């Protein structure tokens, strides 16, 4: 949900507006709350349609029809005003994830889940058709999942109005990949209930296989396949489900069963009243629970008045506590984490006291003993080198120390590490955590303490909702990395179709990378994709590789782990395939080279980390020579992946702390007379807010900047590091400028090829 904008209303039809859920060609959808506390999704029609009398007539008629839809599986209309200057329609708000989100994150659903989905959605469509409506856009994004079953949304209102407007110009109405042949040919105005049944068949096939039955890619090609080709139902192993899908996907509308018939045809028990989400896999049930819990963190009604463009003050502690619950924080239990290690008493004098005698701490929250211990150790070393560099300055206004805590890659332990850092008032900021799950678990504690947290290796597309915005994702997300992947594989004359293999062994990293690559391909290129998802631990990838090649894939992208990547490389080598093959950077480990052997040769990788001289063993990126020399001197080895990035963000933090201290003591000048000094080897441009302003936080008695002040300074900073330029967008505080790097497996090692290419236009 996005914040309200200055021009948005504060109230619509007795609903206090809480935020924006989305916007489209017909209007804006808001999340609202009634005086009684009920949540609603409120669609407000744009003025250009509100002034069209023909539109109002259709809107009035279809709103009345929608009120007659009576099904627990179709989201009901709760209010509407078709006569006001700004027409609006409200429906019950359901906090569950969409089916498209679930399949993207968790993979295809098991057969029982698909049967339940089909039976209950057929009941929803029966009610819609009984009210004289045709949905016209049954797709995964219009189905919400809850513990007791699915909910069909967006039925027969804006979609029907939009259909009337568009078909007059001969355009196709609906979503390619999920619309029936009669709509694909442009005959959308005449599409009836049979078209909804076809779309339901496409949706169920998608739920069962993880891909649309007519593929994806260029719209024209997709529409052609919908009209002329048979659906791809490979992976639907249940005979009854396969037969049912075949009937729903018949080209002839008359040959399809009615929605009411599907209810009796599907022999599957459905969840009863108050049932738990046992009809869904455990990971999906967890998503639903987290999404529902997040609703507890919504602001109170009186806190949502949008009277100006100013940023609202932080919510009370009660709200922050609820946000902690929404983030899925784990209750504390027995056990400890690794001992703290502080530098500051080492014999070489790197951490000598500053003239002012002030000594503050940079925290390192890392996995040092778990699955990502190599990355965690590399980041710890990068932080230490940046602190060494800062402390070597003769004019330093304070001394920095490093405090390291190990979470072992365990989310529960990660929460305890975050709480330990939050309690230590000498900790200015924390670099980490290393992994995605550890980051998500720790975020509420850091947010509650308004303690700046910068991660360079947690790349999730989204994280639990936060109140105080103290978290900075200082590396491209999996979604951002999909762009150079698509550019590298498809912007070439010999590739038209990309096979995407998503291996569940890779967890969320594989899902997000594979899904984003599949999604971005038609947006960035004229190419198409053929995606496949395989269960975790699949030992033989030969049949999946054969399927990808059998569907004319002339390039391959593997999203998963190192062991699965090696299996994919061996399976691919057993075929005549000679096209380009690429894997997610999570595959790029010694294990891949060892297990794949000669079949690893030529595989490429898009990675978010640069090569400062140690990843490939060759001279690294320009400007990193001093860093590499210092790393070799202190640690006896070249820097590994992620070390340069941790070095950079530590330099950014040190820079902003120094600028805040200088601003507080010298009336705005930095520690060397300029706010653009470079204490850790990079350069910073852009202003930093004064540490004594109420909105930025108040310095402590010893001059230490407030944590909120440092959060604001980092958010406004621009820092030229050795790995990239660091700046963060205002809304989500994610990295701006999503540079990536290209590697290739050659001769039993990883060779750095340089920055990943970008499209010319």
């Amino acid at each position: 949900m996005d914040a309200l904008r200055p021009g948005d209303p504060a109230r619509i039809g007795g609903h206090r507006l809480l935020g924006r859920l989305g916007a489209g060609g017909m209007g804006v959808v808001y999340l609202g709350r009634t005086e009684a506390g009920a949540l609603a999704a409120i669609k407000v029609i744009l003025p250009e349609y509100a002034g069209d009398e023909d539109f109002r007539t259709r809107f009035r008629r279809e709103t009345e029809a929608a009120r007659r839809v009576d099904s627990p599986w179709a989201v009901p209309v709760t209010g509407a005003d078709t006569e006001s200057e700004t027409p609006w329609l409200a429906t019950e708000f359901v906090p569950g994830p969409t089916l498209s989100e679930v399949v993207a994150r968790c993979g295809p659903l098991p057969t029982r889940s698909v049967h339940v989905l089909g039976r209950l959605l057929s009941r929803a469509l029966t009610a819609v058709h009984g009210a004289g409506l045709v949905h016209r856009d049954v797709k995964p994004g219009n189905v919400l999942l809850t513990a007791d079953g699915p909910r069909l949304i967006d039925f027969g209102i804006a979609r029907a109005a939009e259909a009337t407007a568009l078909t007059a110009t001969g355009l196709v109405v609906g979503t390619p990949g999920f619309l029936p042949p009669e709509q694909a040919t442009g005959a959308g105005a005449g599409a009836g209930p049979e078209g909804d049944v076809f779309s339901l068949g496409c949706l169920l096939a998608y739920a069962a296989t993880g891909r649309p039955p007519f593929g994806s890619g260029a719209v024209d090609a997709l529409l052609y396949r919908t009209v002329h080709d048979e659906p791809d139902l490979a992976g639907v192993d249940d005979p009854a489900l396969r037969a049912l899908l075949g009937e729903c996907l018949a080209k002839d509308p008359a040959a399809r069963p009615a929605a009411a018939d599907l209810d009796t045809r599907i022999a599957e028990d459905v969840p009863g009243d108050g049932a738990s989400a046992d009809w869904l896999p455990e990971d999906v049930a967890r998503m639903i629970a987290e999404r529902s819990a997040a609703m507890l963190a919504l602001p109170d009604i009186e806190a949502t008045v949008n009277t100006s463009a100013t940023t609202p003050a932080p919510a009370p502690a009660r709200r922050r506590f609820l946000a902690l619950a929404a983030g899925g924080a784990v209750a504390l239990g027995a056990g400890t984490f690794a001992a703290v290690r502080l530098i500051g008493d080492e014999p070489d004098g790197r951490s000598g006291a500053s003239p002012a005698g002030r000594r503050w701490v940079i925290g390192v929250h890392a996995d040092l003993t778990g699955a990502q211990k190599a990355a965690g150790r590399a980041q710890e070393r990068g932080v230490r080198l940046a602190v060494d560099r800062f402390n070597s300055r003769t004019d330093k206004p304070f001394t920095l120390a490093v405090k390291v805590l190990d979470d072992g890659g365990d989310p529960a332990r990660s929460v305890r590490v975050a709480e330990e850092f939050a309690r230590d008032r000498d900790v200015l900021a924390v670099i980490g955590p290393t992994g995605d799950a550890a980051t998500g678990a720790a975020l509420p504690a850091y947010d509650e303490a308004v303690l700046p947290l910068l991660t360079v290796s947690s790349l999730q597309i989204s994280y639990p909702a936060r109140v105080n915005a103290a978290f900075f994702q200082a590396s491209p997300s999996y979604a951002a990395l999909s762009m150079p992947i698509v550019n590298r594989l498809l912007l070439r004359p010999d590739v038209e179709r990309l096979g995407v293999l998503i291996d569940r062994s890779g967890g969320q990293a594989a899902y997000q990378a594979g899904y984003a690559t599949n999604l971005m391909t038609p947006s960035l290129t004229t190419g198409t994709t053929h995606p496949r998802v395989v269960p975790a631990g699949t030992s033989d990838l030969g049949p999946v590789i054969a399927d990808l090649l059998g569907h004319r894939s002339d390039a391959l992208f593997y999203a998963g782990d190192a062991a699965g990547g090696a299996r994919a490389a061996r399976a691919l080598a057993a075929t005549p395939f000679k096209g380009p093959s690429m894997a997610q950077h999570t595959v790029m480990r010694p294990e891949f080279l060892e297990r794949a052997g000669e079949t690893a040769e030529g595989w490429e990788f898009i990675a978010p980390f640069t090569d400062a001289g140690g990843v490939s063993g060759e001279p690294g990126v320009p400007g990193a020579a001093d860093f590499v020399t210092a790393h070799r001197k202190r640690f006896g080895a070249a820097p590994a992946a992620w070390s340069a990035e941790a070095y950079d963000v530590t330099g950014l933090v040190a820079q902003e702390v120094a600028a805040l201290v200088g601003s507080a003591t010298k009336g705005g000048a930095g520690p060397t007379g300029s706010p653009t000094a470079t204490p850790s080897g990079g350069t910073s441009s852009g202003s930093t807010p004064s540490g004594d302003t109420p909105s930025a936080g108040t310095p402590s008695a010893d001059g230490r900047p407030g944590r909120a002040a440092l959060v604001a300074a980092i958010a406004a900073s621009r820092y030229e590091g050795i790995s990239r330029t660091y700046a963060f967008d205002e809304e989500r505080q994610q990295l701006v400028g999503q540079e990536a790097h290209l590697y290739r497996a050659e001769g039993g090692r990883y060779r750095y090829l340089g920055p990943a290419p970008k499209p010319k236009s």
Side-chain angles (χ1 to χ4, degrees), residues 114 140 309 385 431 440 463 567 602 641:
V114 178
L385 286 180
I431 311 304
Y463 294 87
R567 287 193 290 270

Side-chain angles (χ1 to χ4, degrees), residues 62 106 119 376 418 455:
E62 290 162 354
C106 305
R119 189 169 193 183
T455 182

